[in-house]
């Protein structure tokens, strides 16, 4: 089942600008993760934020989580052409005894040089 | 280098011809999983395995089989592929106690 929904579906910005992507989900979670996928490649884990955290930073990435609104945002500051990729949020919860990830449909980010 | 590998990377086949996509990881991870990615649908889980000889269905298991005879390998088997299984397939593994997953490079399958 698809839990996360990213918004916007596609985003195009100029190099140096900030990019913000949003993710909404439906059920309670243990944590939320963001992944990047370059065209035709596998997903790469970027950052994880736990349900009891509100904000987390990693380099040029800033993630926020609002569990009351069941939403998260990913901010990429000072974007570069190399940031062009699809970005997916994934919510993590327990299913039986397994930690399971449920992915959204992704935001395609294009950074123009 | 720690990695998840998949073979083949590209495959074109015909309806009904059995095929296997291999997945191998060299990180001694117990958990492995298969996903398919389709436009507008994100990644959907097909099957996962908590450890050797332990497998379970994900969200879209119909038409697929898996086996886990060794910790490092988790092949995906399509006994009788159909055109609706045309997709991009990813294998992933996860360290014990963690949530983040490591993905293979993907296998693009076309069934005609």
């Amino acid at each position: 089942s698809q839990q996360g929904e990213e918004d916007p579906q596609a985003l195009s910005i100029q190099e140096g600008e900030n990019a913000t992507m949003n993710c909404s989900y439906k059920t309670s979670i243990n944590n939320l993760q963001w992944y990047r996928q370059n065209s035709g490649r596998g997903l790469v884990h970027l950052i994880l934020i736990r349900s009891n955290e509100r904000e987390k930073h990693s380099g040029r990435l800033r993630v926020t989580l609002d569990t009351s609104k069941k939403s998260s945002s990913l901010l990429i500051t000072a974007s570069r052409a190399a940031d062009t990729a699809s970005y997916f949020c994934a919510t993590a919860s327990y299913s039986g005894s397994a930690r399971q990830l449920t992915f959204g449909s992704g935001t395609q980010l294009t950074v123009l040089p | 280098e720690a990695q998840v590998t998949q073979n083949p990377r590209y495959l074109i086949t015909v309806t009904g011809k059995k095929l296997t996509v291999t997945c191998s990881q060299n990180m001694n991870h117990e958990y492995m999983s298969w996903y398919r990615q389709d436009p507008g649908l994100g990644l959907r889980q097909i099957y996962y395995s908590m450890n050797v000889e332990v497998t379970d269905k994900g969200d879209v298991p119909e038409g697929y089989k898996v086996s886990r005879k060794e910790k490092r390998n988790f092949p995906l088997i399509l006994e009788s592929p159909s055109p609706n299984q045309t997709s991009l397939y990813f294998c992933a593994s996860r360290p014990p106690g963690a949530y983040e997953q490591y993905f293979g490079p993907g296998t693009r399958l076309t069934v005609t």
Side-chain angles (χ1 to χ4, degrees):
Chain A
S1 59
Q2 196 169 331
Q3 159 99 294
E5 293 289 340
E6 283 94 340
D7 170 56
Q9 290 187 348
L11 178 62
S12 184
I13 60 174
Q14 294 293 136
E15 208 164 23
E17 293 179 340
N18 295 341
T20 299
M21 289 158 268
N22 303 298
C23 170
S24 60
Y25 58 92
K26 297 173 185 171
T27 63
S28 58
I29 61 172
N30 179 286
N31 64 73
L32 186 145
Q33 302 172 39
W34 287 89
Y35 288 78
R36 183 185 73 214
Q37 183 184 31
N38 290 89
S39 180
R41 308 288 291 274
L43 279 74
V44 175
H45 180 261
L46 293 176
I47 193 167
L48 179 154
I49 185 165
R50 302 186 191 286
S51 59
N52 61 353
E53 297 176 310
R54 292 296 166 259
E55 187 171 311
K56 201 159 183 181
H57 296 255
S58 177
R60 294 184 295 113
L61 304 181
R62 172 179 170 252
V63 170
T64 62
L65 179 64
D66 187 334
T67 53
S68 67
K69 295 181 180 178
K70 292 187 169 57
S71 68
S72 173
S73 68
L74 171 67
L75 168 67
I76 303 174
T77 60
S79 62
R80 306 165 182 167
D83 294 328
T84 294
S86 292
Y87 292 82
F88 294 87
C89 69
T91 52
S93 59
Y94 275 97
S95 175
S97 60
R99 297 182 180 87
Q100 296 295 70
L101 281 184
T102 304
F103 287 83
S105 53
T107 292
Q108 171 62 51
L109 173 66
T110 302
V111 181
L112 302 168
Chain B
E1 179 189 355
Q3 60 183 346
V4 179
T5 56
Q6 295 177 228
N7 282 292
R9 294 290 314 280
Y10 302 91
L11 180 59
I12 301 173
T13 190
V14 296
T15 299
K17 186 175 180 182
K18 181 180 178 180
L19 65 91
T20 299
V21 183
T22 65
C23 172
S24 183
Q25 50 91 8
N26 60 1
M27 296 171 280
N28 202 35
H29 291 170
E30 292 177 348
Y31 179 97
M32 297 183 74
S33 181
W34 275 102
Y35 298 88
R36 62 177 287 174
Q37 184 179 29
D38 301 289
L41 295 178
L43 276 78
R44 293 178 293 168
Q45 190 179 51
I46 303 170
Y47 268 95
Y48 65 95
S49 170
M50 297 292 288
N51 211 330
V52 175
E53 301 293 359
V54 181
T55 63
D56 211 343
K57 295 177 181 179
D59 296 321
V60 288
E62 294 78 20
Y64 304 94
K65 284 176 55 177
V66 293
S67 70
R68 188 89 182 275
K69 293 182 170 39
E70 307 165 279
K71 184 182 272 191
R72 65 183 293 129
N73 296 323
F74 190 42
L76 179 69
I77 303 157
L78 285 72
E79 294 270 2
S80 183
S82 62
N84 65 11
Q85 293 178 299
T86 292
S87 188
L88 181 57
Y89 291 86
F90 289 100
C91 180
S93 69
R94 188 188 73 208
Y99 275 92
E100 54 268 32
Q101 296 189 14
Y102 294 78
F103 283 81
T107 294
R108 186 167 293 281
L109 172 65
T110 302
V111 184
T112 62

